[in-house]
Amino acid sequence: MYSTDETTPTLEEGERQQLVIVTGMSGAGRSTACKAFEDLDWFVVDNLPPQMIRPLIDVASKARDSLPKLAVAIDIRGGRLLEHFNALIEELRHTYDVQVLFLDASDESLVRRYEQSRRPHPLQQDGTVVDAIATERNRVRELRSLADVVFDTSELNVHQLSQRVTERFGEPDHQRVQITVMSFGFKYGTPTDADMVLDMRFLPNPFWNPELRPFNGRDKRVSEYVLEQEGADEFIKHFDGLIAPVVEGYLRENKRHALIAIGCTGGKHRSVAMTERLANELRGREDVTVSVRHRDLGRE
């Protein structure tokens, strides 16, 4: 039996340590769910023996700033340690914000996944995969009855499962794509980590204007000069139509970070001005958060 630590303070509901216990059928997507929690900035521990949950969360509650949210994955390998799991959960719920996420899938889907991975089921031993799944389903029946959330992953791919986790457990900002708009100079090299590269060298270069050369694209005089050139306004108008399906696709595929690199020759005038303008255009969207970086500004 698990004993309550009387020194643990009782917190208001909004302040309680958050804990999600990820469990379910082997092969139903536990590893994918854990990676999704990591992407949401949760502290994740996979395959933790149930008896270690209480010590872990007690330590985490004393370091709330560092470990505000915990996701702990357990599975049938916990064996006899799972026998008192229901008592542990009920006890923890008196002090902490605890949710149990159970991942399930049809027998047919589980068999197919094990065949594709060519890995044995943890309970298979000398039997068949079908026998092992039946044994496991019987053992986790009570565990499933404790679940606050059940995901049937039979028809979900890894991206769709990650999206389900994000929708259920993510903060509002995690429902968006975090886009960095970065200016750069081609003469210093194209960014290797860029998801999209836009070339501003089709616009006249302010470098050849002696009055504008000393300034950069964040200066109002340079910015107005660049954005008033033929083709600039048309490019900006078409940008939203270009980026909209990309962002929607990133959300479907659970891609949460993207880098849009905007280049000119030296990364000082045209790319900087256009980066600032396009970042403002993106900030009008509800499905993105935007940051700006000027990689090569000041290198000349």
Side-chain angles (χ1 to χ4, degrees), residues 43 79 81 113 123 162 167 195 202 213 247 255 272 294:
F43 184 82
L81 296 176
R113 291 170 188 176
L123 301 180
S162 295
E167 291 172 351
D195 297 288
F202 70 94
R213 182 180 302 173
V247 171
K255 179 177 173 59
V272 172
H294 298 296

Side-chain angles (χ1 to χ4, degrees), residues 92-231:
L92 289 175
R93 281 175 170 160
H94 289 298
T95 309
Y96 305 105
D97 179 7
V98 180
Q99 295 186 76
V100 178
L101 167 62
F102 190 95
L103 302 173
D104 205 349
S106 67
D107 290 359
E108 293 78 6
S109 297
L110 295 174
V111 170
R112 183 173 62 252
R113 291 170 188 176
Y114 275 106
E115 288 177 346
Q116 291 173 345
S117 68
R118 299 184 180 181
R119 298 183 62 187
H121 188 284
L123 301 180
Q124 187 169 343
Q125 299 180 345
D126 296 330
T128 66
V129 174
V130 174
D131 293 336
I133 291 172
T135 300
E136 181 180 27
R137 198 172 290 284
N138 183 60
R139 291 187 184 182
V140 300
R141 183 177 293 111
E142 185 175 359
L143 200 60
R144 193 183 195 282
S145 69
L146 296 172
D148 301 283
V149 183
V150 177
F151 287 165
D152 185 339
T153 69
S154 302
E155 303 299 328
L156 301 181
N157 60 37
V158 293
H159 302 298
Q160 292 167 331
L161 175 54
S162 295
Q163 180 65 21
R164 291 286 298 277
V165 172
T166 299
E167 291 172 351
R168 180 62 179 79
F169 298 99
E171 300 293 337
D173 279 353
H174 286 109
Q175 309 295 330
R176 305 175 180 178
V177 179
Q178 299 177 38
I179 295 181
T180 299
V181 189
M182 182 178 73
S183 67
F184 73 95
F186 278 99
K187 71 178 183 179
Y188 301 114
T190 304
T192 58
D193 55 346
D195 297 288
M196 182 183 298
V197 177
L198 304 177
D199 187 352
M200 296 300 107
R201 291 177 295 184
F202 70 94
L203 298 172
N205 192 349
F207 177 85
W208 302 113
N209 185 324
E211 295 181 359
L212 300 178
R213 182 180 302 173
F215 306 102
N216 63 61
R218 290 185 295 188
D219 184 278
K220 183 178 179 180
R221 289 163 290 188
V222 175
S223 177
E224 289 181 349
Y225 175 86
V226 171
L227 299 178
E228 289 174 356
Q229 297 303 310
E230 182 178 358

Side-chain angles (χ1 to χ4, degrees), residues 5-47:
D5 181 359
E6 295 180 356
T7 63
T8 302
T10 300
L11 302 174
E12 296 297 329
E13 187 69 31
E15 301 175 343
R16 300 170 82 186
Q17 178 77 47
Q18 288 185 267
L19 170 67
V20 172
I21 297 175
V22 184
T23 187
M25 295 293 293
S26 301
R30 189 184 67 254
S31 296
T32 297
C34 285
K35 291 177 182 178
F37 276 106
E38 289 179 346
D39 290 340
L40 295 175
D41 298 325
W42 288 57
F43 184 82
V44 179
V45 181
D46 195 1
N47 195 26

